[in-house]
Amino acid sequence: MARRKMSKLSKRNIQDMKRKVVGFLFAGTLLFMAGYSIIEGYSSSYGTRHESLGKEESFIQLILPVSQKMYELYNVRPSVSIAQAILESDWGESELAADYNNLYGRKTGDLSRAVLMETSEFANGEWIIIQDYFKVYKNVTESIEDHALLMVNGTDWNPELYHPVLEAATYEDASHALQQAGYATDPTYPQKLIDLIERYELYKYDVSN
């Protein structure tokens, strides 16, 4: 009789232990899932921030080699050239840049390789929307080279228009020279370029190899 009683107690203990083990595993699973969710949320948030920084650096590295080549050939500062491309093309994501490889908002009168688009211009103390024809390039390299040649050759009415940009002693002077030459209508254009150059340390590329 005593052995049968012990047997019943053992079975009851085993069942209790099974329930405790199942409960423990269930609770552990919930804790693991909660912890994983927190980690995954943090990773996702960090990944988004990292991806954003990576995108910016990727764009800089994409156009850097050609910009440096233009510096060697024509003395067009990479810091200013890259900052202009960033500002004008919104990191290469504007429609004009993404679809037509135009990084600098270059306009044209040659309609055989042009696209009609809206653009903002600052006139008479206010921003207005106009339509104009912009150049279409085969690739971004062509766009960067054309921008450098504009600095060298100027315009039909003034071949030396942008020479002060090339002759500027600093990137600050070059940025202001662009404004004085009438490259952009935005009165804050030089400071925007300078801010980009300093934020992303683009000035470190203004060193001849």
Side-chain angles (χ1 to χ4, degrees):
M1 293 292 292
R3 291 181 62 184
R4 288 184 63 187
K5 188 174 182 180
M6 286 292 294
S7 178
K8 287 180 180 179
L9 288 173
S10 297
K11 288 181 180 179
R12 188 179 298 114
N13 290 341
I14 290 172
Q15 290 175 349
D16 290 340
M17 289 177 64
K18 285 182 178 180
R19 284 194 293 269
K20 290 179 180 179
V21 170
V22 171
F24 176 80
L25 291 176
F26 180 74
T29 301
L30 290 178
L31 288 172
F32 174 81
M33 291 177 67
Y36 179 80
S37 178
I38 293 171
I39 294 172
E40 185 179 42
Y42 175 80
S43 299
S44 177
S45 175
Y46 175 81
T48 300
R49 295 194 299 273
H50 182 71
E51 181 180 353
S52 177
L53 293 175
K55 177 190 69 176
E56 294 166 351
E57 184 61 28
S58 294
F59 180 77
I60 292 171
Q61 294 304 315
L62 172 67
I63 64 177
L64 177 59
V66 185
S67 299
Q68 289 177 318
K69 187 65 177 179
M70 296 303 99
Y71 190 35
E72 294 174 7
L73 293 175
Y74 307 117
N75 204 40
V76 179
R77 287 177 176 272
S79 61
V80 178
S81 175
I82 294 171
Q84 283 189 276
I86 292 170
L87 184 59
E88 298 282 355
S89 74
D90 189 22
W91 296 97
E93 294 186 347
S94 69
E95 183 180 357
L96 186 60
D99 294 345
Y100 305 104
N101 298 308
N102 190 330
L103 298 182
Y104 298 93
R106 290 293 312 280
K107 298 175 183 177
T108 183
D110 181 7
L111 303 187
S112 64
R113 291 187 61 185
V115 57
L116 182 64
M117 298 187 70
E118 288 188 345
T119 184
S120 298
E121 298 280 355
F122 192 81
N124 300 319
E126 63 179 356
W127 286 99
I128 59 174
I129 303 296
I130 65 170
Q131 285 193 330
D132 213 331
Y133 287 95
F134 292 85
K135 287 191 173 186
V136 174
Y137 297 99
K138 295 178 182 178
N139 49 56
V140 294
T141 295
E142 190 176 75
S143 177
I144 298 168
E145 291 174 344
D146 188 47
H147 171 265
L149 290 175
L150 173 67
M151 299 296 109
V152 175
N153 299 324
T155 61
D156 293 338
W157 63 89
N158 186 355
E160 298 181 356
L161 180 62
Y162 294 108
H163 283 194
V165 179
L166 303 178
E167 297 164 359
T170 65
Y171 62 81
E172 293 97 336
D173 291 343
S175 299
H176 286 288
L178 279 168
Q179 178 71 19
Q180 292 165 4
Y183 188 93
T185 60
D186 183 356
T188 63
Y189 192 76
Q191 191 57 52
K192 287 178 179 177
L193 295 181
I194 293 169
D195 289 345
L196 284 168
I197 291 169
E198 295 179 347
R199 178 177 180 182
Y200 295 98
E201 300 181 353
L202 302 178
Y203 48 76
K204 65 187 178 184
Y205 301 122
D206 290 349
V207 178
S208 300
N209 296 328

